[in-house]
Amino acid sequence: MTDPIAIQPSELDQLPDRDPEETAEWQASLDAVAKAAGPHRAAYLMRRTLERAEGNGIALPKLLETDYVNTIPTAAEPSAPGDEEMERKITAWNRWNAAAMVTRGSKYGVGGHIATFASAAWLYETGFNHFFKGKEADGSGDQLYIQGHASPGIYARAFLDGRLDEQQLDNFRRESGGNGLPSYPHPRRLPWLWEFPTVSMGLGPLSAIYQARFNRYLTARGIKDVSESHVWAFLGDGEMDEPESTAALALASREGLDNLTFVINCNLQRLDGPVRANFKIVQELEAQFRGAGWNVIKSLWGNAWDELFRLDTTGALVRRLREVPDAQVQTYQTRDAAYIRQDFFGKDPALVEMAKLLSDDKILECFHFSRGGHEARKVYAAYKAAVEFKGAPTVILAQTVKGHTLGEGFASKNANHQMKKLTVDEFKTMRDLLELPIKDSDFVDGVVPYGHPGADSPEVRYLQERRAALGGPAPARRVHPVAPLPAPAEKAFASFDKGSGTQNVATTMAFVRLIKDLVRDKETGKRWVPIVPDEARTFGMESLFPSLGIYSPKGQTYEPVDRDQLMYYKEAQNGQILNEGITEAGSMADFIAASTAYATHGEAMIPFYIFYSMFGWQRTADQMWQLGDQLGRGFLVGATAGRTTLTGEGLQHADGHSPVIAATNPAALSYDPAFAYEVATIVRDGIRRMYGEAAPGEDPNVFYYLTVYNEPLPQPAKPSAQGIDEGIVKGLSRFNTAESAGLSPVANAPRIQLLGSGTAIHWVLKAQRMLAEEWGVSADVWSATSWTELRRDALEADAGLLRGEERVPYVRQALHGAEGPVLAVSDYMRQVPDQIAQWVEQDWSSLGADGFGLSDTREGARRHFGVDAESVVVAALAQLARRGEVKATAVKEAREKYGL
């Protein structure tokens, strides 16, 4: 017997056909043209016919849209397995407890959302009972991106299956006591349940696409076969306004990600009102997704509408449904049958006659309750069609009512997103509607009770049996007990200790050279995931193309134009590099998927994402918070860093602030290394901490941000001083003294401590020599690899003092006893080095590149910002003059001498 889901919608359709014979003749004509002249001629004639129809004003749906009806007609729906009545009871308990949890929490003023889950309950319940694979299933199970505002419903289900208790529900949005529940899906706050943070709207759909893509990448590279894993992203129709929501639709289609399903809850409402008040969001989304190459399934109307479609012998009903704007559909939800008869049916004589055959109850059932997203069988049919469709991702557009089952005070009201509680009477009405065995006496002192049928009840046993059959609880996050990765060979790092001699090497190139060695490591080389947004040649990474290959599911179907060159452009199905084109957002989504593979798939991967530093934290900082929230691990590398190093590019490329933004993220360890050996030392320590043996008290769930520069200069050898590695990792180490640099001018000369980070160290070193040779001042030079880590260490020491713990901040320990004042210099705004000023016991001043960037040479830009060597000398003399250690006239003399 033919599976009804395989029947094409055109063969079994809800649209009436008044003359099947004529229709067959048109179809036969088209078949004849295709056979005689080929499919291209047939397609040409169809396009010309549609153009003529549009030109003549004939009302037809747009080419990328279908009519406002279900994609899968009732007659083609497969029978859903399981016990639908049992699932209805489970859904009723979940609806109740989600509403009760938010209402009970309202007395604390912590907020919460009720209406979203009320509209989407069946979308989740059907998936949990029949589709969402758990962690014990094949591959790694499914990955679920839960709509953030629906979290109360997920907590309610976890309460029903015994994973949460009443106390935890009562601590919804109250986490400080240690037994609470975060407001939204936050893996860092509830790491055993949530996998993916989604409430920063738009990031969920973007991440879901790249997660599905990364699953294919892991399988293609032979890391782990996760071909049975499916990615489900639950989204709101209002959320689709976010540009990130649709930014990667073409990628998903282009790469045939049929392991991905979007479920868009089309309740026609956003936070303040209708999503498309004067238009139709479902039709807009259908056209958008079809245009991008997705398979689109619309589940709009429930079974109650079947009678109306059978009565529609003229097509008037379908036409009317297509023309009514969403805001008016929302109004029908709140009005009586008489209004609907007049406003909806009264616009067309054929509909007037149809309405005469319908009772008021029937009209209200259709317009108030019967939606495709509220009926288990229709949701099941849509999901089954989605997972069985091959060759493209699927989007399900499920129409629902926001606030469904919560009563007339909630359903479709514009304010329902902000409505945080129901009254006792509204709960009792809801109880009766859901047929729950909750007594009036259970409402003690006006407090709504939680409902639970019992741990051994048929509902709970059914729920747990269904989850066991699908591979365990969901959603769930699990960090598999995997052995730490072996440390890469020391040779890869030690090669930078000797410096580059007279060869000029930029720190960007030093990092790339280090990566080239690390990806060759026999133990861990395959774990590296190089990610770059179409700037590999800018960063000198093109040599990795032929050796590692660029990942492409199609491999290389063409002969590359540079095939005769040593570093030719090579794509491969098992390629290791993710070259994303011009999309920092897509590259960050790649990074998030790779950086959390240790939990999602039990496979530790080491991503590094290299990008123009200006286009990282400034453009995608929200995703970097998502990365931290998801407990991602890896290396972000801001290349061509600094405000003055990228010659000629100007304001839009001049990064003077990324370390400031990075410092706000607790999971980001931000470094600004000056020398190649510092880059190697930091990367080695990062691999140890994130993927090897973290030290006691160290959190491995961090990521590193390194700024590297495109200014080729000689790289010095690593100083042999004791504790140099510790200083590099903690953020400050002494590079030299005036004496060790051979620059001690005279006995008892004035002395100053010069702190520089990143490329600024080179201006500082030049200033050190000028101070000695031209002004008789001794200067010691320090490399500040991380102002941020120095500050965090000091903050921890301060917090310890409040607990009675005595600890001196590392920056104070390092500078203890250093003579003279301190002058800190950075290629970033002064706020970056000024982070540590309060913990430095010496007199403090700083120089930085504050303000907007500009196009110029490096020398011109540095003079403009007052951070070049000459400016450092003048600032140092001014600081010493204030202390009376040099003559005040020396400052004026220096300014004139250097033309400042």
Side-chain angles (χ1 to χ4, degrees):
M1 180 176 179
T2 303
D3 187 343
I5 206 67
I7 297 175
Q8 297 299 315
S10 60
E11 299 172 355
L12 185 60
D13 210 327
Q14 292 179 331
L15 304 182
D17 190 347
R18 292 181 292 176
D19 193 341
E21 184 175 348
E22 182 184 33
T23 302
E25 290 175 0
W26 277 78
Q27 292 171 336
S29 298
L30 183 64
D31 293 342
V33 171
K35 183 176 181 179
H40 294 293
R41 177 62 180 171
Y44 175 85
L45 292 176
M46 284 298 298
R47 288 198 300 271
R48 288 292 177 263
T49 302
L50 288 170
E51 289 172 2
R52 173 61 63 86
E54 183 177 359
N56 290 338
I58 298 174
L60 285 173
K62 295 179 181 179
L63 191 61
L64 292 177
E65 294 179 14
T66 61
D67 281 297
Y68 204 63
V69 297
N70 294 346
T71 303
I72 305 169
T74 301
E77 293 171 359
S79 297
D83 186 335
E84 187 172 327
E85 175 58 22
M86 186 65 69
E87 293 173 18
R88 185 198 66 78
K89 292 180 180 179
I90 293 171
T91 305
W93 285 116
N94 292 340
R95 288 180 183 277
W96 177 272
N97 288 322
M101 176 174 55
V102 176
T103 297
R104 287 167 67 126
S106 66
K107 66 181 179 181
Y108 300 106
V110 295
H113 302 285
I114 302 177
T116 295
F117 177 72
S119 66
W122 275 112
L123 301 180
Y124 291 107
E125 193 59 38
T126 302
F128 284 130
N129 286 323
H130 302 290
F131 292 95
F132 304 157
K133 294 187 288 291
K135 294 298 182 183
E136 281 81 39
D138 293 338
S140 303
D142 288 353
Q143 287 82 56
L144 308 180
Y145 288 76
I146 304 295
Q147 191 178 1
H149 293 137
S151 63
I154 308 305
Y155 290 141
R157 199 173 200 274
F159 169 64
L160 207 63
D161 73 7
R163 292 198 291 165
L164 292 175
D165 57 32
E166 285 194 16
Q167 183 185 14
Q168 289 171 296
L169 296 191
D170 266 347
N171 285 334
F172 174 60
R173 293 194 168 199
R174 294 191 298 139
E175 301 177 75
S176 60
N179 195 32
L181 300 178
S183 52
Y184 304 121
H186 284 305
R188 188 169 285 276
R189 291 302 183 200
L190 203 62
W192 60 267
L193 181 72
W194 298 119
E195 284 192 280
F196 308 108
T198 54
V199 83
S200 188
M201 289 190 285
L203 299 190
L206 179 66
S207 292
I209 290 174
Y210 280 89
Q211 181 66 57
R213 196 279 198 93
F214 188 74
N215 290 356
R216 291 281 175 85
Y217 171 90
L218 282 181
T219 301
R221 289 197 53 219
I223 302 293
K224 183 178 182 180
D225 183 0
V226 293
S227 55
E228 295 301 315
S229 293
H230 200 88
V231 178
W232 299 82
F234 288 83
L235 317 168
D237 47 0
E239 181 176 5
M240 302 312 293
D241 287 346
E242 291 283 6
E244 294 88 351
S245 295
T246 55
L249 298 187
L251 167 72
S253 172
R254 185 169 65 245
E255 300 203 359
L257 298 181
D258 50 25
N259 61 337
L260 170 68
T261 297
F262 276 15
V263 181
I264 302 182
N265 178 14
C266 297
N267 57 35
L268 313 185
Q269 289 183 249
R270 55 162 77 104
L271 277 63
D272 286 334
V275 177
R276 294 290 183 272
N278 295 298
F279 306 94
K280 303 191 80 62
I281 185 60
V282 169
Q283 300 300 86
E284 179 182 320
L285 291 175
E286 178 185 29
Q288 192 170 15
F289 278 87
R290 286 190 190 280
W294 286 53
N295 175 43
V296 179
I297 298 172
K298 294 195 291 191
S299 183
L300 307 180
W301 308 110
N303 287 331
W305 283 84
D306 289 348
E307 179 183 346
L308 277 67
F309 287 122
R310 285 193 298 270
L311 294 172
D312 184 28
T313 59
T314 65
L317 176 63
V318 173
R319 288 195 300 273
R320 181 67 178 137
L321 288 173
R322 189 169 66 235
E323 70 187 22
V324 176
D326 284 351
Q328 191 63 22
V329 174
Q330 182 181 343
T331 297
Y332 294 148
Q333 177 69 34
T334 65
R335 303 300 291 269
D336 59 19
Y339 177 87
I340 298 171
R341 284 182 188 277
Q342 178 181 352
D343 192 84
F344 180 84
F345 292 98
K347 303 296 185 182
D348 187 292
L351 293 180
V352 171
E353 293 303 312
M354 178 190 295
K356 293 177 181 178
L357 303 175
L358 303 174
S359 67
D360 285 356
D361 287 345
K362 181 66 176 180
I363 289 175
L364 293 178
E365 180 185 11
C366 289
F367 284 84
H368 284 194
F369 301 105
S370 187
R371 300 290 187 274
H374 294 324
E375 297 190 10
R377 181 172 176 178
K378 295 194 179 296
V379 175
Y380 179 85
Y383 286 7
K384 187 172 188 293
V387 297
E388 292 179 354
F389 189 87
K390 300 303 177 186
T394 292
V395 58
I396 296 169
L397 304 175
Q399 187 165 260
T400 66
V401 175
K402 193 167 186 178
H404 184 60
T405 73
L406 297 180
E408 295 181 358
F410 262 84
S412 282
K413 295 297 176 66
N414 280 336
N416 61 19
H417 190 80
Q418 302 300 330
M419 297 164 67
K420 312 300 183 186
K421 59 183 178 180
L422 280 71
T423 67
V424 169
D425 288 342
E426 286 172 330
F427 266 110
K428 290 178 179 179
T429 300
M430 180 184 178
R431 171 201 62 190
D432 296 340
L433 176 64
L434 298 176
E435 300 177 354
L436 290 172
I438 295 175
K439 303 184 294 294
D440 286 353
S441 59
D442 293 334
F443 292 81
V444 179
D445 296 327
V447 177
V448 57
Y450 293 119
H452 200 293
D456 196 40
S457 65
E459 293 94 327
V460 173
R461 289 201 305 271
Y462 180 89
L463 181 156
Q464 293 175 340
E465 288 167 2
R466 293 305 309 147
R467 289 312 315 156
L470 287 166
R477 181 180 182 273
R478 182 171 304 167
V479 178
H480 299 264
V482 294
L485 293 182
E490 182 63 23
K491 179 181 178 182
F493 305 102
S495 63
F496 293 90
D497 291 352
K498 61 184 179 182
S500 64
T502 59
Q503 182 185 8
N504 290 333
V505 177
T507 51
T508 296
M509 183 53 65
F511 178 84
V512 172
R513 288 184 183 178
L514 174 62
I515 293 300
K516 288 179 184 177
D517 290 338
L518 293 175
V519 296
R520 296 191 186 103
D521 187 87
K522 292 182 180 180
E523 294 289 337
T524 60
K526 68 178 182 178
R527 301 282 173 181
W528 285 89
V529 183
I531 303 167
V532 60
D534 198 41
E535 290 280 5
R537 297 183 192 279
T538 301
F539 307 136
M541 291 175 59
E542 65 269 30
S543 62
L544 297 178
F545 289 168
S547 58
L548 300 183
I550 300 167
Y551 170 73
S552 170
K554 290 184 176 294
Q556 194 153 37
T557 61
Y558 59 90
E559 187 175 13
V561 67
D562 54 359
R563 61 193 177 279
D564 298 326
Q565 297 180 14
L566 180 63
M567 293 182 287
Y568 67 97
Y569 195 81
K570 176 186 175 183
E571 296 187 81
Q573 288 181 322
N574 64 344
Q576 192 165 349
I577 300 170
L578 293 173
N579 190 321
E580 288 307 339
I582 305 173
T583 168
E584 286 83 7
S587 299
M588 269 305 304
D590 263 337
F591 187 90
I592 291 170
S595 70
T596 54
Y598 73 93
T600 307
H601 297 298
E603 296 288 343
M605 305 299 289
I606 313 174
F608 80 87
Y609 164 35
I610 187 168
F611 50 89
Y612 266 66
S613 65
M614 182 67 160
F615 302 147
W617 286 91
Q618 175 170 306
R619 182 168 290 181
T620 56
D622 196 14
Q623 288 178 283
M624 292 163 179
W625 275 99
Q626 180 189 17
L627 166 65
D629 199 6
Q630 202 167 315
L631 287 75
R633 306 170 183 174
F635 295 95
L636 296 175
V637 183
T640 59
R643 180 146 279 165
T644 70
T645 61
L646 193 56
T647 56
E649 291 287 358
L651 186 153
Q652 291 183 332
H653 288 66
D655 172 22
H657 53 277
S658 70
V660 177
I661 307 175
T664 66
N665 191 312
L669 276 60
S670 179
Y671 286 91
D672 188 27
F675 304 122
Y677 69 80
E678 293 178 333
V679 172
T681 301
I682 293 165
V683 170
R684 179 178 58 194
D685 190 70
I687 294 172
R688 174 200 62 79
R689 176 169 178 171
M690 295 185 291
Y691 301 98
E693 296 286 354
E698 278 187 328
D699 182 5
N701 298 316
V702 295
F703 60 93
Y704 283 64
Y705 175 55
L706 279 72
T707 48
V708 293
Y709 298 82
N710 70 327
E711 189 168 13
L713 291 164
Q715 294 295 325
K718 185 176 183 178
S720 57
Q722 185 177 3
I724 184 70
D725 285 357
E726 179 189 25
I728 292 170
V729 172
K730 288 192 172 182
L732 185 66
S733 62
R734 186 159 56 188
F735 179 70
N736 68 20
T737 64
E739 289 75 14
S740 65
L743 297 172
S744 183
V746 294
N748 300 317
R751 185 174 291 268
I752 189 169
Q753 306 298 316
L754 301 179
L755 278 57
S757 68
T759 199
I761 200 79
H762 300 286
W763 327 326
V764 168
L765 287 169
K766 181 180 177 182
Q768 179 191 37
R769 181 169 296 276
M770 294 169 65
L771 283 166
E773 295 176 350
E774 301 176 26
W775 304 98
V777 172
S778 296
D780 301 335
V781 173
W782 301 72
S783 177
T785 49
S786 180
W787 309 101
T788 301
E789 287 306 298
L790 291 173
R791 175 179 176 81
R792 288 176 177 170
D793 172 78
L795 288 172
E796 289 177 9
D798 284 357
L801 287 175
L802 295 177
R803 298 189 297 266
E805 302 169 6
E806 292 289 339
R807 184 169 75 80
V808 179
Y810 178 79
V811 64
R812 185 165 291 173
Q813 294 179 44
L815 291 171
H816 180 67
E819 295 180 46
V822 168
L823 174 61
V825 188
S826 165
D827 200 21
Y828 296 94
M829 55 197 302
R830 289 176 60 182
Q831 185 176 339
V832 176
D834 284 349
Q835 293 181 85
I836 65 169
Q838 73 185 82
W839 292 280
V840 174
E841 59 188 16
Q842 293 87 350
D843 291 343
W844 173 273
S845 65
S846 63
L847 295 177
D850 287 79
F852 288 111
L854 77 165
S855 300
D856 211 316
T857 63
R858 292 188 180 112
E859 294 75 13
R862 286 163 189 169
R863 174 56 58 92
H864 169 81
F865 286 110
V867 293
D868 58 356
E870 290 79 5
S871 297
V872 174
V873 169
V874 173
L877 292 174
Q879 201 171 5
L880 290 168
R882 286 194 295 270
R883 294 162 56 94
E885 297 178 20
V886 300
K887 294 180 179 179
T889 55
V891 181
K892 182 176 183 294
E893 183 182 347
R895 281 201 303 266
E896 293 174 350
K897 179 177 181 178
Y898 303 135
L900 295 181

